[in-house]
Amino acid sequence: MTRKQFVEEVLEKRIKSMRDVLDKKNSEYADSDDVFKAFALSTSLSFHKTSQAVAWEFMVKHLQSIQSIISDYEKKKTLPDEAKLEEKIGDAINYLILIEGMFKEAMEPAKLEQARIKYTLI
């Protein structure tokens, strides 16, 4: 695969897919005020206390599926179904992006406080 093919067939396709899936799921599981609402609500149903841990747990099933795909390929040289592979990889990436977003949201109050401190020192 050439660099151009990789960019066009894997990277650009993945970016578009991520946008489409995250947008669709956002309208299904969130609202305009809280993009991570479903994760926060799920803490009461899970063994986890944070939205990030819930998202990690949701992602684990996709990682397990990817691990099985890799294992099947190593043992049997069986290539995965392309749609299934794209779905599982995409879901795992999307959960990582959501976890990143949750941490960035949690960092905002600290950033605001740091900005206030700098402003008062000037």
Side-chain angles (χ1 to χ4, degrees):
M1 178 176 279
T2 67
R3 183 183 304 237
K4 182 179 180 196
Q5 288 172 314
F6 174 77
V7 168
E8 291 173 358
E9 296 173 23
V10 179
L11 184 59
E12 294 298 331
K13 186 177 177 183
R14 171 62 52 211
I15 291 168
K16 182 187 179 327
S17 174
M18 287 166 36
R19 281 190 179 116
D20 293 346
V21 169
L22 285 170
D23 185 49
K24 179 183 177 211
K25 296 295 183 180
N26 186 270
S27 63
E28 186 177 341
Y29 293 110
D31 57 35
S32 60
D33 294 330
D34 187 358
V35 70
F36 307 122
K37 180 180 180 178
F39 296 101
L41 294 173
S42 294
T43 59
S44 67
L45 300 171
S46 75
F47 297 107
H48 301 291
K49 295 179 179 138
T50 66
S51 297
Q52 294 91 335
V54 170
W56 175 265
E57 196 64 33
F58 290 175
M59 182 180 66
V60 166
K61 68 179 184 163
H62 301 291
L63 295 176
Q64 178 58 51
S65 183
I66 294 165
Q67 185 180 43
S68 294
I69 289 168
I70 292 168
S71 179
D72 286 348
Y73 182 68
E74 285 183 327
K75 291 176 186 170
K76 306 173 198 168
K77 298 298 182 216
T78 305
L79 288 170
D81 174 73
E82 188 173 6
K84 180 181 178 183
L85 177 68
E86 289 177 2
E87 175 190 353
K88 298 304 176 183
I89 295 286
D91 287 343
I93 291 168
N94 287 342
Y95 278 111
L96 288 172
I97 291 168
L98 290 165
I99 292 168
E100 179 182 15
M102 290 174 205
F103 276 113
K104 292 204 176 202
E105 179 182 62
M107 291 173 187
E108 281 305 309
K111 287 181 182 179
L112 288 172
E113 184 60 27
Q114 289 171 357
R116 284 188 194 109
I117 291 170
K118 284 182 182 179
Y119 180 75
T120 58
L121 294 176
I122 294 178

